[in-house]
Amino acid sequence: MNNKLYPIGIQNFEKIRKDGYFYVDKTALVYQLVKTGSYYFLSRPRRFGKSLLISTLEAYFQGKKELFEGLAMEQLEKDWITYPILHIDLNTQKYDTPESLENKLNGVLDDWESLYGTRAAEKSLSMRFEGVIERAYRKTGQRVVILVDEYDKPMLQAIGNEALQKSFRETLQAFYGALKSKDACIKFGMLTGVTKFGKISVFSALNNLIDVSMDERYAALCGITEEEIHRDFEDELYALADKQHMTYDEVCNELRECYDGYHFVEDSVGIYNPFSLLNTFFKMKFGNYWFETGTPTYLVELLQMHHYDLHRMAHVETDADVLNSIDASSTNPIPVIYQSGYLTIKGYERRFGIYRLGFPNREVEEGFMRFLLPFYAKTTKVEAPFEIQKFVREVESGDYDSFFRRLQGFCADTPYEMVRDLELHYQNVLFIVFKLMGFYVKVEYHTSEGRIDLVLQTDSYIYVMEFKLDGTAEEAMQQINDKHYARPFEADSRKLFKIGVNFSIKTRNIEKWIVEETGKEHCSTSTI
């Protein structure tokens, strides 16, 4: 029986070590970090272990040698000096007014000032921070360690609100500026967050930070590698295989497909999502654990605000400047989606410095599409999975009329304000629906000049579809035949359906579909 304690949701290093929870040893990388630089920034998706990393650094700089017994750090560190630590966690507050951030910082400063004293002349938040740093250094005789967890939480919560973003940016710029002005009093500084806001943002005051987010040496600082899985969880792999009636190799492949695939720098080792992995071993079954903990709605708001074509997410190309920094005024949602962990590096063209992005794994791809569906189609979060199940069953049984009537229901009541971008809206609805169906049946779609042609394959049927907007279903069918879309399947033993579909701007829905069923013709129209 497996008696291992899994630290699911536990972000405190001391608690993990004292209470006997399992810890994947990252302390050799922590040692390398503290011995080779002074100021760092690391961005990683939520629940990837950023808070645990900050807590590990805190225990190290507190000189708590006993917590590192049996870990790599025990052999590496000889001195174990205790430093004064200023730890800020911005994750524990709702930031919806300028005062909400000021109140949070004021509370943190009050705690520090009770330890290190105050000066009446220090009126602003930034002056008080500078004063605390200097007094902590002078009082203890050791330079100060500054640890900031989720530094970007206020900025992220204010995406879409330019006035609030500006207020937060100005407050944080001045506040974090103390890391530069009091450099002589500081031993080490580390900021973590999901995103990196650049250009005219808080980082303009922190150009002394080393950003290790895309540094190959620290790619595995958060998250779990395949090597670590086989080193630390071999018993769990066999137990999971037994529980799920799978072979050892099948379990390894399933874990890889579901939770691996994060690459935070080109040509680096793949990283597994630690939260999903630990939950899988704890519950001894596969699930969308990371996704079920909540996806920020600001991602969808960004996609919709910028009228983003979701097809582009399947083959995004960009450069390091875009990946490394978010410009709050930019119309490109991709940097936020990448840094939030919904896209990752899939390839790199060294000659031009171009990164190719894609979904890291099945959990993220399917979870993200399921999350998007209610924002684009007429369905709810609860209904969406069942609707996709019905779509799949209809095409698996050859019931294309029910399939298209259901699709009509998804497109019904398209908001009037979306009419100006109706073609993109339909493209996005189709992309999400067919992407979700693609986890159960084989789906291929190609876009050209805003049009979509689609091939859908089940065990018994092949569907070749062409969609038009304000054309005719007959024109769509003509294109299938003229361009010989069905030719690759003519020798296939499965039943073949060619389907021409037309969307109407007037009705804002599917107006008609025509089906040619292996030589016979069948025509249906919408009930609108």
Side-chain angles (χ1 to χ4, degrees), residues 337-473:
I337 293 169
Y338 163 76
Q339 291 183 14
S340 300
Y342 299 91
L343 292 175
T344 195
I345 295 168
K346 290 290 190 179
Y348 180 64
E349 195 171 350
R350 196 168 300 278
R351 182 183 175 196
F352 300 107
I354 297 297
Y355 291 89
R356 181 171 54 82
L357 307 183
F359 294 105
N361 53 49
R362 195 173 74 214
E363 178 187 15
V364 173
E365 185 172 15
E366 186 173 4
F368 196 53
M369 289 298 133
R370 281 179 185 263
F371 180 73
L372 287 179
L373 189 57
F375 292 90
Y376 284 85
K378 190 185 177 186
T379 184
T380 67
K381 182 181 177 182
V382 174
E383 293 168 346
F386 298 100
E387 293 292 340
I388 295 300
Q389 179 184 327
K390 290 169 187 171
F391 275 129
V392 171
R393 286 183 171 162
E394 284 158 1
V395 299
E396 285 180 336
S397 64
D399 187 359
Y400 45 75
D401 279 334
S402 294
F403 173 87
F404 279 105
R405 279 194 289 271
R406 188 173 307 284
L407 197 56
Q408 279 181 326
F410 264 46
C411 297
D413 299 329
T414 302
Y416 183 78
E417 62 269 16
M418 298 189 81
V419 172
R420 63 190 175 90
D421 226 345
L422 196 61
E423 183 161 10
L424 176 61
H425 174 66
Y426 287 144
Q427 291 275 27
N428 284 338
V429 171
L430 291 174
F431 177 78
I432 297 169
V433 168
F434 289 117
K435 195 78 172 167
L436 286 169
M437 289 180 63
F439 292 101
Y440 309 97
V441 296
K442 188 176 180 182
V443 176
E444 302 166 63
Y445 36 75
H446 314 279
T447 57
S448 173
E449 298 174 1
R451 297 183 182 87
I452 182 167
D453 62 90
L454 181 133
V455 176
L456 197 155
Q457 300 181 57
T458 72
D459 290 342
S460 303
Y461 303 100
I462 299 171
Y463 301 81
V464 177
M465 304 184 195
E466 175 65 25
F467 294 85
K468 295 286 184 186
L469 180 71
D470 248 18
T472 67

Side-chain angles (χ1 to χ4, degrees), residues 87-144:
H87 182 176
I88 312 170
D89 182 0
L90 291 182
N91 197 39
T92 57
Q93 179 81 25
K94 182 180 180 182
Y95 301 100
D96 51 5
T97 64
E99 293 74 30
S100 58
L101 175 58
E102 291 167 9
N103 291 341
K104 173 66 178 179
L105 296 178
N106 186 58
V108 170
L109 286 164
D110 279 348
D111 289 341
W112 294 338
E113 286 168 341
S114 68
L115 291 174
Y116 303 115
T118 61
R119 279 187 66 225
E122 294 165 2
K123 300 294 186 185
S124 69
L125 294 169
S126 55
M127 287 176 68
R128 290 169 64 194
F129 191 21
E130 288 177 337
V132 164
I133 293 170
E134 186 168 334
R135 285 190 294 278
Y137 171 47
R138 302 202 184 285
K139 188 171 182 178
T140 64
Q142 295 291 348
R143 283 176 294 158
V144 179

Side-chain angles (χ1 to χ4, degrees), residues 253-271:
N253 288 335
E254 185 74 4
L255 283 172
R256 199 176 296 121
E257 189 177 324
C258 288
Y259 310 127
D260 189 17
Y262 289 92
H263 294 272
F264 301 110
V265 62
E266 68 274 10
D267 305 324
S268 67
V269 62
I271 303 295

Side-chain angles (χ1 to χ4, degrees), residues 135-157:
R135 285 190 294 278
Y137 171 47
R138 302 202 184 285
K139 188 171 182 178
T140 64
Q142 295 291 348
R143 283 176 294 158
V144 179
V145 171
I146 297 171
L147 304 173
V148 184
D149 198 8
E150 304 291 358
Y151 94 97
D152 57 340
K153 192 70 178 281
M155 302 288 288
L156 276 175
Q157 289 192 358

